[in-house]
Amino acid sequence: MNLDINSSHLKRAAELLRKSKRAVALTGAGISTPSGIPDFRSPHTGLWDKVNPMEVSSLMSFRYNPEKFFEWSRPLTALILDAVPNPAHIGLAQLEETNHLVAVVTQNIDNLHYRAGSKRVFEVHGHIRESTCVNCYQKVAAEKHIRIFIEQGITPRCEECGGILKPDVVLFGEQLPFNVVNEAHQAIATSDLMIVIGSSLEVTPVALFPLDALSAGAKLIIINEEPTYLDERADVVFHNCAAKVVPRLVEEVLHE
Ligand code: NAD
C-alpha cells in the first residue's frame, strides 16, 4: 500500500467529480476495514485466508449446518455491530448531500453507509438489519437476536415457529435481491462517473458493474489498496487507504 496520496491524482479526481452530474460510488469490504471490520481478500488479514468460504457461507452449508455458519460469523458479526462509520463513509454521505453523488452501490452488509448519513444506498448483497425465518418466512429486526447469539451462543430462532432465522445477507449460491440490483443497474447505466472504493472486483456480478458504467461512457476512479483488473481502464487510480483518500477528495471538491 502507498502511504502518500498523489496530489495531481487528487486534483484530477476532484475535477472529474465536480464536472460529473450522475456519479455513483461502488463500495466493497475495503471501505470498512478502517472501521475495524476485516475484508475477505486482503493478504494475511482477509477472512478467506483462514477458511474455505463454501464450507461456511454458502446457502447449501447454511441449510445443512446453520450452527457452523453462526459460529464462523460470530466474531465478524460482533465487530460489525460495534463498528462506527469512518471518514470514507462520511465523505460519501457529504458528496451526496452536496449533490456530487447520486447513489452508493455497496457489497457490504454492515449498514455503515446508512449510519454515516448516505440516503440512496443499494445493498446488493443484503444487510444485517433484518433476518428471515427459513421455515415460515417471517421477517424480524435482527439486532436483538444477533446480540443474544454473540453473548450466549444461542442460535437465532423464530419466535413464531422455532425455525432458524437467517440474516438477510446474500450467501454463496443465493440470488441477489432483484429489485435492489435493478435499481443499482439503472443508476450505473445512466452514470457519468463511477468511483470504486475498497473492492477487489473479484466477486461477480458486482465486479462487472464498472464495465456497465464504462459502456455508458462514464469515467472511472478506483481507490483500492491492491491493484484490480480495471486499473488500466481507470482515469485515476489510488492505491491508498480509502479513509485517507475520500476525505481529501471531498475537501478538494468542496473547497477548491
Ligand atoms: P474483498 O475482500 O474481495 O476486497 C477488499 C479490497 O479492499 C481488497 O482488494 C483490499 O486491497 C482493499 N482494501 C482493504 N482495506 C482497504 C482500505 N482501507 N482502503 C482501500 N482499499 C482497501 O471485498 P469485496 O470486493 O467487497 O467482496 C467480497 C465480499 O465481502 C462481498 O460480497 C461483501 O459482501 C463481503 N464482505 C463484507 C464486509 C462488510 O460488510 N464490511 C466484510 C467482509 C466481507
Side-chain angles (χ1 to χ4, degrees), residues 22-126:
R22 300 199 50 82
V24 172
L26 173 65
T27 69
I31 196 173
S32 295
T33 59
S35 295
I37 305 169
D39 62 13
F40 281 171
R41 290 180 184 76
S42 274
H44 312 302
T45 54
L47 293 168
W48 280 174
D49 251 19
K50 302 175 179 80
V51 289
N52 173 354
M54 297 313 274
E55 254 179 43
V56 285
S57 65
S58 69
L59 185 60
M60 202 59 114
S61 65
F62 185 89
R63 292 267 178 197
Y64 283 110
N65 195 347
E67 282 81 11
K68 193 166 178 181
F69 166 83
F70 279 110
E71 232 11 87
W72 168 76
S73 64
R74 195 173 178 177
L76 179 63
T77 314
L79 289 173
I80 289 176
L81 285 191
D82 290 336
V84 292
N86 67 57
H89 299 104
I90 293 165
L92 291 184
Q94 288 170 326
L95 287 177
E96 184 183 3
E97 173 78 30
T98 54
N99 297 321
H100 291 93
L101 193 73
V102 297
V104 176
V105 177
T106 189
Q107 300 170 84
N108 296 343
I109 49 103
D110 58 28
N111 202 29
L112 291 182
H113 285 300
Y114 278 125
R115 287 178 56 201
S118 287
K119 303 267 184 305
R120 200 156 176 248
V121 184
F122 300 118
E123 298 164 306
V124 292
H125 287 174

Side-chain angles (χ1 to χ4, degrees), residues 181-251:
V181 172
N182 223 0
E183 284 190 77
H185 262 144
Q186 280 171 26
I188 290 165
T190 53
S191 66
D192 56 8
L193 172 66
M194 170 166 276
I195 315 176
V196 174
I197 307 174
S199 176
S200 61
L201 296 180
E202 286 184 21
V203 180
T204 54
V206 175
L208 305 175
F209 287 2
L211 291 179
D212 297 333
L214 287 170
S215 301
K219 303 284 186 192
L220 180 63
I221 299 172
I222 296 181
I223 304 169
N224 201 62
E225 285 183 347
E226 302 284 324
T228 75
Y229 83 102
L230 279 177
D231 282 10
E232 279 181 10
R233 296 191 60 186
D235 295 272
V236 188
V237 177
F238 298 91
H239 288 158
N240 307 91
C241 174
K244 300 266 187 301
V245 178
V246 177
R248 293 270 309 272
L249 188 55
V250 174
E251 200 182 294

